């Protein structure tokens, strides 16, 4: 009986603690954050088009917190701006500037 109650309690905690990822519109493209175990504060943010071509890449020297809505919104806005542009991107610090990160 004790095992059943414990199992039910764990299962209920897992269900309530889970969070689904927002739906991604692949027609617009997507972004990926890559990091290295040896350098945890150095991350590379890559933005891809709908046909999986790399549009933009930037290395940031701080850990991005993907649990913050501000970070997700900023990355999605950059992706939208990149999709609107057809010319070469002049700024090489789009992520750093939009999230007010230190260089």
């Amino acid at each position: 009986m004790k095992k059943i109650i414990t199992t039910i309690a764990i299962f209920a905690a897992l269900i309530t603690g889970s969070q689904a990822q927002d739906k991604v519109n692949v027609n617009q493209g997507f972004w990926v954050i890559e990091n290295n175990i040896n350098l945890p504060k150095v991350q590379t943010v890559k933005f891809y088009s709908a046909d999986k071509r790399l549009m933009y890449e930037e290395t940031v020297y701080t850990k991005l917190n993907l649990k913050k809505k501000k970070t997700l919104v900023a990355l999605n806005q950059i992706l939208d701006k990149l999709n609107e542009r057809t010319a070469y991107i002049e700024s090489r610090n789009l992520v750093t500037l939009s999230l007010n990160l230190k260089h």
Side-chain angles (χ1 to χ4, degrees):
M1 185 69 171
K2 199 174 195 180
K3 288 184 180 180
I4 294 173
I5 294 173
T6 305
T7 305
I8 292 172
I10 291 172
F11 185 69
L14 289 174
I15 290 174
T16 57
S18 64
Q19 183 177 0
Q21 183 180 1
D22 291 339
K23 291 184 179 181
V24 177
N25 188 355
V26 181
N27 295 333
Q28 293 181 10
F30 57 96
W31 51 264
V32 177
I33 297 179
E34 297 177 355
N35 55 4
N36 186 342
I37 295 173
N38 298 326
L39 300 169
K41 290 193 175 187
V42 177
Q43 295 182 322
T44 303
V45 184
K46 295 182 179 183
F47 294 90
Y48 292 92
S49 64
D51 58 351
K52 299 178 184 169
R53 284 186 308 115
L54 181 64
M55 293 189 296
Y56 179 73
E57 177 179 354
E58 182 178 339
T59 301
V60 292
Y61 298 95
T62 184
K63 183 128 174 95
L64 297 176
N65 188 355
L66 295 178
K67 293 182 181 179
K68 289 186 176 181
K69 189 172 183 174
K70 174 186 172 183
T71 304
L72 296 174
V73 168
L75 292 173
N76 289 330
Q77 286 176 348
I78 293 170
L79 180 63
D80 291 340
K81 288 179 184 177
L82 290 171
N83 282 325
E84 291 173 1
R85 290 186 169 249
T86 56
Y88 179 74
I89 301 155
E90 297 172 6
S91 176
R92 299 302 298 170
N93 297 324
L94 294 175
V95 176
T96 304
L97 293 174
S98 67
L99 291 173
N100 296 325
L101 302 174
K102 295 179 182 177
H103 294 279

